[in-house]
Amino acid sequence: MKINFAPLELPMERRLQTAAVMQWVFSFIALAPLCIILYIYLLFTRFWLVGVLYTVWWFFDYDTPARGGHRVNALCDLKVWKYMRDYFPIKLVKTADLDPRHNYILGFHPHGVLVAGAFTSFCTCATGFRELFPGLTSYLLMLPLWFRSPFFRDYIMCAGLIPSDKKSASYLLCKRGVGNAVVIAVGGAPEALDAHPGTYNVLLAKKKGFIKMAMEHGAHLVPVFSFGENEVFDQVGNQKGTWLRWLQERLQRIMGVSLPLFHARGIFQYSFGLMPYRKPINTVVGRPIRVERNEKPTAEELDALHQLYMDELSNLFEEHKGNYGVDEDTHLNFV
């Protein structure tokens, strides 16, 4: 295989963009296990007191992830995230105002491999969420498994990440007043296995938990579609029915995380590696669907709102697909 190396004479701006994305990919892939190793190491060295003090802190801070975490705005506003934004680039597109006197559940589609659009748009200030939607604070849901890693849990909470369970989301919708935007990658880990370039499969047909939560708390629903999310990585062929897909789905049920075998480009060459391609991601935030509070919705009411949400997501996709290079004959496939 011929390796296509990057030119030696590259602008410093592009090098900084690559470095920013490199640390982000490293954080998602390797930082959590390294933090666990560091924690265990500290307990058996002359720095054991650091490990003990952190254990005490962890004990008293254990429920913080389920109570909105502890976002640090200074971290979210670091210039490194602007370099990451410009690497692809990533753009947040507003189609309607969101009244900060309400709470919202934003359904993010598709999940992609590493939810680059969701992280950059809703966990950092790089794409201008605060300016586009003044008065709203966004929180992105992440697998609870990652909040069991020492040190790493504190880092991701600083960016506004909270566990993807009902308790954590409900706390923001009923105990934190108004102006909260809970962002849920509805397809979750299973949808990541379908994140192939050129595909528009949305795992939504049977996903009604977030709909029920919106009804119980009277949180308005907002469909979000991220054009280009599936384009930044390739995956090893894992079509349904193959042994690889069977193994991935079984591991996902056991571990709670999916393991897509993704690849794209490298740091100093463009032929192979785990760095994403430089392809644009446009995250389009749709119009809000008004939801009245109903603590005990019937199955019919739940199904009706779920269908309305799917219709609105489909309309959002159809309305904007032409702006982002999607063929006119391409439509969302609800799985």
Side-chain angles (χ1 to χ4, degrees), residues 2-288:
K2 183 180 178 180
I3 300 176
N4 182 18
F5 287 98
L8 291 176
E9 299 297 326
L10 279 177
M12 180 57 67
E13 189 80 5
R14 286 179 66 89
R15 295 184 185 276
L16 291 173
Q17 292 168 8
T18 301
V21 174
M22 180 179 66
Q23 64 82 27
W24 172 73
V25 172
F26 168 79
S27 296
F28 265 85
I29 296 175
L31 188 56
L34 284 178
C35 285
I36 295 173
I37 293 171
L38 174 62
Y39 174 70
I40 296 172
Y41 169 79
L42 289 173
L43 292 174
F44 294 94
T45 66
R46 60 194 180 98
F47 301 106
W48 61 269
L49 184 59
V50 176
V52 171
L53 290 174
Y54 182 82
T55 303
V56 174
W57 157 257
W58 195 357
F59 175 80
F60 285 105
D61 194 59
Y62 189 80
D63 290 331
T64 298
R67 295 179 178 177
H70 43 63
R71 180 192 299 271
V72 177
N73 288 325
L75 177 66
C76 300
D77 205 26
L78 289 176
K79 195 169 184 179
V80 64
W81 307 124
K82 294 179 175 63
Y83 285 124
M84 178 176 167
R85 173 200 64 195
D86 294 339
Y87 173 93
F88 295 92
I90 296 174
K91 183 179 180 182
L92 184 64
V93 181
K94 173 183 176 180
T95 63
D97 291 331
L98 298 182
D99 190 339
R101 292 174 297 178
H102 301 288
N103 286 326
Y104 299 89
I105 295 179
L106 277 61
F108 182 88
H109 313 270
H111 182 283
V113 173
L114 295 181
V115 286
F119 177 83
T120 308
S121 296
F122 303 115
C123 293
T124 78
C125 303
T127 59
F129 180 87
R130 288 184 303 193
E131 291 73 28
L132 291 173
F133 304 103
L136 288 186
T137 303
S138 58
Y139 300 86
L140 179 63
L141 270 62
M142 189 178 188
L143 285 172
L145 173 68
W146 302 122
F147 293 87
R148 297 169 190 159
S149 171
F151 304 120
F152 184 71
R153 67 186 288 277
D154 302 280
Y155 174 62
I156 57 179
M157 278 195 291
C158 289
L161 288 152
I162 61 172
S164 56
D165 53 39
K166 185 176 181 179
K167 178 182 177 182
S168 303
S170 296
Y171 182 88
L172 293 171
L173 297 175
C174 68
K175 298 288 181 62
R176 278 283 184 96
V178 294
N180 300 301
V182 177
V183 185
I184 303 175
V186 179
E191 192 175 79
L193 300 177
D194 285 326
H196 295 273
T199 59
Y200 296 93
N201 299 322
V202 177
L203 191 60
L204 181 59
K206 297 181 180 179
K207 294 280 188 176
K208 300 179 183 178
F210 75 107
I211 301 290
K212 185 177 182 181
M213 185 185 302
M215 298 181 77
E216 290 175 341
H217 298 291
H220 298 345
L221 287 164
V222 182
V224 179
F225 196 89
S226 193
F227 291 90
E229 196 73 40
N230 286 346
E231 309 300 318
V232 296
F233 287 106
D234 291 318
Q235 272 198 69
V236 174
N238 64 339
Q239 291 74 19
K240 288 186 179 294
T242 62
W243 69 268
L244 176 58
R245 185 56 172 261
W246 176 86
L247 179 61
Q248 288 175 321
E249 289 178 343
R250 189 167 183 84
L251 288 173
Q252 192 274 321
R253 286 194 293 269
I254 295 172
M255 301 168 57
V257 295
S258 63
L259 299 172
L261 299 180
F262 64 92
H263 58 93
R265 50 158 289 187
I267 300 171
F268 302 111
Q269 44 74 29
Y270 304 139
S271 301
F272 60 89
L274 298 180
M275 289 286 290
Y277 296 121
R278 284 180 177 265
K279 293 187 177 181
I281 297 175
N282 294 279
T283 302
V284 184
V285 180
R287 295 178 292 272

Side-chain angles (χ1 to χ4, degrees), residues 278-321:
R278 284 180 177 265
K279 293 187 177 181
I281 297 175
N282 294 279
T283 302
V284 184
V285 180
R287 295 178 292 272
I289 303 169
R290 185 174 180 83
V291 179
E292 297 294 338
R293 186 172 183 180
N294 184 353
E295 294 185 5
K296 294 183 178 180
T298 64
E300 290 77 15
E301 291 170 330
L302 186 62
D303 290 342
L305 184 55
H306 180 254
Q307 185 61 53
L308 176 59
Y309 179 86
M310 290 199 297
D311 292 342
E312 286 295 316
L313 178 62
S314 182
N315 292 339
L316 180 69
F317 178 81
E318 294 294 329
E319 182 180 346
H320 293 274
K321 66 181 182 181

